[in-house]
Amino acid sequence: MAVELPFEKPLVELRLKIEELKRFTEERGIDMSEEVATLEAKSKALSESIYRDLQPWQKVQIARHPERPTTLDYIRDLCVDFVELHGDRNFRDDPAIVGGIGRFDGYPITVIGTQKGRDTKENLYRNFGMAHPEGYRKALRLMKQAEKFRRPVLCFIDTAGAYPGTGGEERGQGEAIARNLIEMAELTVPIVCIVTGEGGSGGALGLAIGDHLMMLEHAWYSVISPESAASILWKDASQAQRAADSMKITAQDLLRFGIVDEILPEPLGGAQRAPAEMIETVRMAVKRAFAQLRTLDTETLLAARYQKYRVIGAWTEDAGTIYEVPQAATTTASLDAEPTAASDTQELDDLAYVARKTTED
Amino acid sequence: MLKDLFPQKKRKYATITPHPSARERVPEGIVDKCKGCGEIILALELEKHAKTCPRCGYHFSLGAMERVGYTLDEGSFVELFGQVRSTDPLSFPEYPGKLQKAQQLTGLTEGVVTGYGTIEGQPVAIGVMDGRFIMGSMGSAVGEKLTRIAEYATEQRMPLVYFTVSGGARMQEAIFSLMQMAKVSVALARHNREGLLYVAVLTHPTTGGVTASFAMQGDLNIAEPGAMIGFAGPGVIEKTIRQKLPEGFQTAEFVMEHGMLDGVVHRKEMRNYLGRILSLHREGGEPDGRRTAL
C-alpha cells in the first residue's frame, strides 16, 4: 500500500472518486467513461500543479518517503557482478553504510552509500541509515582500495546525519568524518556523488567530497535537519517548516549557489512513484559524469576538485569593521513574505561578487 | 553518649549581610570566580597563571587575541586577512543583528583571527577561533580565513597551528557553513601533501562540524585539560539514547583515552610544548640540537 503524504490528500480523494466511478461502470453497466476521463484529466493537472510548486518542507517529506529507491536498489540495477565488501578492519561492519565493487557501463567501479531500511526491522538493522565511525572508515578503506586499482568511486548519500550516540563518540565520529574529508580531497581517482534523499550535515559530507555532485530533484542537503535547526534556533522543533524555508536546503537552491553541479529530475510525484525510471535517469547521468571525468589526468582532476570547494562561501572584504544591519533585515517579517524576484537577483549578484572576489585573489 | 544521638541544633556561624556599598568597592575585573572550584582569584593572579585556576587547574575561556598573546612570542604577531567578514547570504532571520552584536562584544570582525608570528623564535602561521563570536560557529568568513592562512602557510612553507573553539557550523549560513568544512579540508590536504606540519589545539568547547573537520586533521591533535570535545553535543546524545551521560564523557582526557588525541597540554605549558614540536619539525633539522625541559 502506497504511503501518502499530507499534501497529497486532494489527489488521493480524486483517485478514490475515479475508482468508484469505474466500479460503478462495471457493476451497473452504465457508461461513465466520459466522467472518468474528465476526472483523470483533472487529477493529472492537479498533480502537476502540486509537484511543480513543492515547498521545501514538502520536499523534505518526499525525500524521506519510505518507498524511495535505496542505495542497494540503485546498485543492484546499475551494476553487474556487484560484490559487497564489509568491515573497516578495526571494529566492525557498519550496516548503515554499504559498499563494494561492480561493473558499471563496462568498467569496474567502487560504489559506496548510506543505506536506509524499508521497514522497522530493517531500519533497526541499518540504524535508519545513520552511520557510526566504522561506517566512514569502511568507506575510506574502499576508496583507498579503489585508488590502488584505479577504479572511479560512486557515492550515494541518503542520511539524516551521522549517529549521535555514545559509541560513536567513543570511537571518534568527528575524527572519522574529518579523515574522509581530507583523504577524499586528494583521492587520485574520479569521485561522483549523488544525494538521493536526505543530505544531513557532516554525516552526508563525509561521503560527499567529489568531482561531480548531483542531487535528485526533491532531495535536501544542509548543515542540519530542519527539526534540529528549529529546536536550536527557536527552541521549538515544530518550527521545522520555517527552518526548512530559511535554510535554503533544496536541490534548486544548491544549484543556484553553485554547490551542486546537476539536478536529476524525478518522476512526477517523486522517485518512489517510478523507481525504474529514476534509476535509469541516474544511470545516464553517472555515465555522462564518468565519461567526462575519465578524460582528465590526475593533476587536472585534483586541481578542479580543489577549486570546486575553494570558491564556496559568501563573504566581503569591503572597508568598515562592523556589520551594518540593513534596514530590511532588521525586521523578521520578511520571512513570511513571498520571495520577490528582486531579492533573488540580489542574492545571485552577491554570489557572482563572491566568485569574482575569489578569482581576483 | 545518648546525648550525642540527639544533637542540638547549634548555630555555628553568623550571617553577615554585606554593606550595600561593598560590591561597588571591588571594581569590575579585579577578581574572578573559578567555575571549576569556586575559588575567588585576583585578576592579577589569574593573569600570572595564563587564566587557569592556581588551585584546581580550571582553564578560563580566552578571547582570540588573548590566546595569541599567551601563545606567540611577544610582539611577533602579524594579522592577515582581518577584513574578511560574513555577509548574510541566505537573508536568515535575525542573523545581521547577531553578527553585529558579536562584533561589538569581541571587537573582532569574525570568529577567527589569522596571521603569523613566532613561537620560541620559530615562525608559524596560526588561526585562533573566538568562542564568544556566535558560539565560535563557523560561517563562510571563518572558513575563508582558515583556508587563506592554510594556503599562505603552504606557499611560505610554514608550519600551521589552529586553536579551535566552536559550537560547530553556523546554522544561519546553512549549506555554506557545511561546505567550509570541505573548503578548509582541501586546503589542509595540500599543506599536508607538501610535507608541512599542522597542529590542531582543541580548546573548550570544540564540537560539531569543527570536530568533524580541521580540529581532527592535525599531524598532532592536542587539547587543553577539561575541554569538552565531541561531534554531537551532549544534549543531542542524551535525547537520542534517552539516558544521562556519565561524568567526564567527552572531556579532553576521555577523548585522549579513546585514542583521538596525542596529548592534553596545560595552557601554561602550551608555548613550550608547541615550541618543542615546531623545533622537532624544522626543515633540515637543527644542527645544535635543542635542549628541552622534558
Side-chain angles (χ1 to χ4, degrees):
Chain A
M1 187 65 209
V3 179
E4 307 292 351
L5 300 170
F7 58 88
E8 294 175 320
K9 210 175 158 209
L11 269 181
V12 178
E13 280 168 3
L14 209 53
R15 203 177 311 141
L16 288 177
K17 206 174 274 176
I18 293 170
E19 271 164 29
E20 200 185 337
L21 280 183
K22 279 185 180 163
R23 212 169 37 240
F24 200 71
T25 309
E26 267 175 39
E27 285 170 6
R28 305 281 172 88
I30 306 167
D31 185 20
M32 307 277 275
S33 58
E34 215 167 285
E35 285 83 350
V36 169
T38 323
L39 282 181
E40 274 176 348
K42 202 174 157 194
S43 163
K44 191 162 173 276
L46 183 63
S47 54
E48 270 166 12
S49 81
I50 285 181
Y51 295 119
R52 196 179 45 235
D53 301 319
L54 285 170
Q55 297 301 302
W57 181 242
Q58 295 172 330
K59 279 175 178 282
V60 171
Q61 289 171 293
I62 293 183
R64 288 174 181 166
H65 200 288
E67 286 155 11
R68 278 175 87 82
T70 68
T71 295
L72 283 174
D73 295 327
Y74 286 106
I75 291 178
R76 275 185 207 115
D77 276 13
L78 295 181
C79 294
V80 286
D81 296 337
F82 179 72
V83 182
E84 188 176 348
L85 302 175
H86 296 273
D88 71 338
R89 299 296 185 271
N90 283 298
F91 184 69
R92 68 162 194 151
D93 184 44
D94 187 349
I97 288 185
V98 295
I101 323 164
R103 195 177 294 278
F104 173 80
D105 190 28
Y107 296 92
I109 64 168
T110 289
V111 200
I112 301 163
T114 55
Q115 181 64 38
K116 286 185 181 174
R118 276 258 178 266
D119 48 38
T120 310
K121 193 178 157 213
E122 200 192 347
N123 258 323
L124 287 174
Y125 172 63
R126 300 285 181 191
N127 200 28
F128 298 83
M130 293 193 281
H132 280 80
E134 49 273 19
Y136 294 100
R137 292 183 181 126
K138 167 165 79 175
L140 181 59
R141 181 176 78 82
L142 297 183
M143 285 185 236
K144 299 302 265 185
Q145 188 190 62
E147 187 175 48
K148 175 181 174 186
F149 295 104
R150 312 309 302 160
R151 289 191 288 264
V153 177
L154 175 60
C155 292
F156 289 99
I157 294 113
D158 181 15
T159 179
Y163 187 68
T166 49
E169 291 294 321
E170 286 166 355
R171 298 193 291 279
Q173 190 73 279
E175 195 278 341
I177 294 171
R179 173 82 25 224
N180 280 18
L181 303 187
I182 200 163
E183 295 278 358
M184 291 176 87
E186 302 244 301
L187 202 79
T188 57
V189 290
I191 308 173
V192 169
C193 310
I194 311 177
V195 182
T196 56
E198 300 189 88
S201 191
L205 190 67
L207 291 183
I209 306 291
D211 305 297
H212 192 74
L213 176 60
M214 299 185 270
M215 278 179 84
L216 301 200
E217 187 184 349
H218 303 312
W220 70 268
Y221 186 14
S222 195
V223 70
I224 191 170
S225 74
E227 289 90 338
S228 303
S231 73
I232 292 174
L233 284 171
W234 303 302
K235 316 276 174 245
D236 183 2
S238 66
Q239 295 224 40
Q241 198 167 336
R242 182 184 171 200
D245 290 340
S246 306
M247 289 202 299
K248 312 278 194 290
I249 61 176
T250 67
Q252 293 70 27
D253 288 321
L254 269 61
L255 184 74
R256 195 157 51 93
F257 297 153
I259 289 167
V260 300
D261 302 295
E262 190 178 349
I263 296 177
L264 304 183
E266 296 193 24
L268 191 67
Q272 71 282 358
R273 292 292 173 82
E277 188 187 328
M278 187 73 250
I279 293 171
E280 204 43 42
T281 306
V282 168
R283 182 200 307 280
M284 297 317 289
V286 173
K287 204 170 148 174
R288 274 196 308 273
F290 277 147
Q292 203 265 324
L293 291 168
R294 211 174 263 124
T295 62
L296 306 177
D297 61 80
T298 307
E299 205 179 307
T300 316
L301 182 79
L302 293 189
R305 195 182 297 159
Y306 188 87
Q307 205 52 29
K308 178 175 165 57
Y309 291 96
R310 180 64 189 86
V311 299
I312 300 176
W315 66 91
T316 173
E317 282 182 272
D318 293 349
T321 45
I322 298 296
Y323 191 92
E324 304 283 341
V325 180
Q327 273 322 75
T330 46
T331 62
T332 52
S334 58
L335 183 71
D336 306 317
E338 284 292 309
T340 60
S343 75
D344 280 351
T345 334
Q346 181 56 41
E347 214 157 61
L348 281 174
D349 282 352
D350 288 348
L351 289 165
Y353 166 75
V354 167
R356 264 202 314 281
K357 258 284 176 281
T358 324
T359 41
E360 271 165 24
D361 282 329
Chain B
M1 303 304 279
L2 196 65
K3 207 175 144 193
D4 297 331
L5 292 174
F6 303 97
Q8 286 179 319
K9 277 184 189 166
K10 272 191 200 165
R11 279 178 74 131
K12 287 184 177 170
Y13 53 89
T15 313
I16 300 165
T17 321
H19 191 271
S21 69
R23 276 181 80 92
E24 288 153 32
R25 264 185 273 137
V26 182
E28 188 80 18
I30 286 283
V31 294
D32 240 316
K33 190 176 173 189
C34 174
K35 280 184 196 144
C37 63
E39 179 94 339
I40 305 291
I41 314 158
L42 282 173
L44 276 174
E45 182 78 356
L46 201 58
E47 221 36 66
K48 213 170 78 190
H49 290 271
K51 290 224 171 165
T52 62
C53 175
R55 198 169 89 171
C56 73
Y58 176 85
H59 282 50
F60 287 69
S61 294
L62 292 184
M65 287 314 292
E66 267 182 306
R67 171 86 57 190
V68 167
Y70 285 121
T71 311
L72 295 184
D73 298 337
E74 211 180 324
S76 72
F77 181 64
V78 177
E79 190 181 354
L80 294 175
F81 321 122
Q83 281 299 325
V84 176
R85 288 169 296 136
S86 288
T87 58
D88 181 13
L90 304 180
S91 305
F92 203 91
E94 295 142 44
Y95 185 36
K98 276 190 178 156
L99 274 174
Q100 198 177 42
K101 228 183 254 170
Q103 287 170 336
Q104 281 159 353
L105 175 76
T106 58
L108 303 172
T109 47
E110 248 306 328
V112 67
V113 170
T114 47
Y116 62 89
T118 57
I119 295 176
E120 299 195 332
Q122 306 166 93
V124 63
I126 62 164
V128 183
M129 299 182 82
D130 195 308
R132 299 167 302 169
F133 203 104
I134 317 186
M135 291 163 71
S137 58
M138 172 173 53
S140 298
V142 170
E144 178 65 18
K145 289 178 84 171
L146 289 171
T147 303
R148 285 196 194 181
I149 197 64
E151 287 178 332
Y152 176 84
T154 309
E155 277 163 32
Q156 303 290 322
R157 296 203 60 81
M158 270 168 111
L160 176 68
V161 177
Y162 287 164
F163 284 88
T164 65
V165 45
S166 184
R170 191 173 293 171
M171 269 170 292
Q172 293 85 350
E173 292 190 28
I175 191 71
F176 287 113
S177 172
L178 185 73
M179 289 295 149
Q180 302 311 306
M181 294 165 64
K183 183 160 100 181
V184 180
S185 295
V186 298
L188 287 175
R190 279 205 170 171
H191 186 260
N192 177 61
R193 196 210 294 168
E194 291 298 316
L196 299 165
L197 172 72
Y198 163 49
V199 179
V201 185
L202 288 73
T203 72
H204 179 75
T206 295
T207 60
V210 170
T211 301
S213 59
F214 51 87
M216 284 289 174
Q217 290 168 341
D219 295 296
L220 276 78
N221 301 323
I222 60 172
E224 284 191 337
M228 187 265 167
I229 295 164
F231 172 67
V236 177
I237 301 173
E238 285 181 349
K239 228 173 104 186
T240 308
I241 64 172
R242 290 155 212 247
Q243 276 174 36
K244 282 298 269 183
L245 288 172
E247 189 76 17
F249 190 77
Q250 295 184 310
T251 56
E253 293 74 13
F254 171 94
V255 177
M256 177 165 155
E257 195 183 309
H258 285 85
M260 302 302 145
L261 292 174
D262 292 282
V264 174
V265 181
H266 195 282
R267 190 178 292 159
K268 282 162 76 179
E269 309 293 327
M270 190 61 78
R271 189 199 300 247
N272 184 267
Y273 183 97
L274 290 174
R276 206 182 319 151
I277 295 301
L278 290 176
S279 147
L280 288 166
H281 289 84
R282 265 178 100 144
E283 278 183 287
E286 280 201 300
D288 57 343
R290 199 165 159 282
R291 265 175 297 162
T292 67
L294 192 75

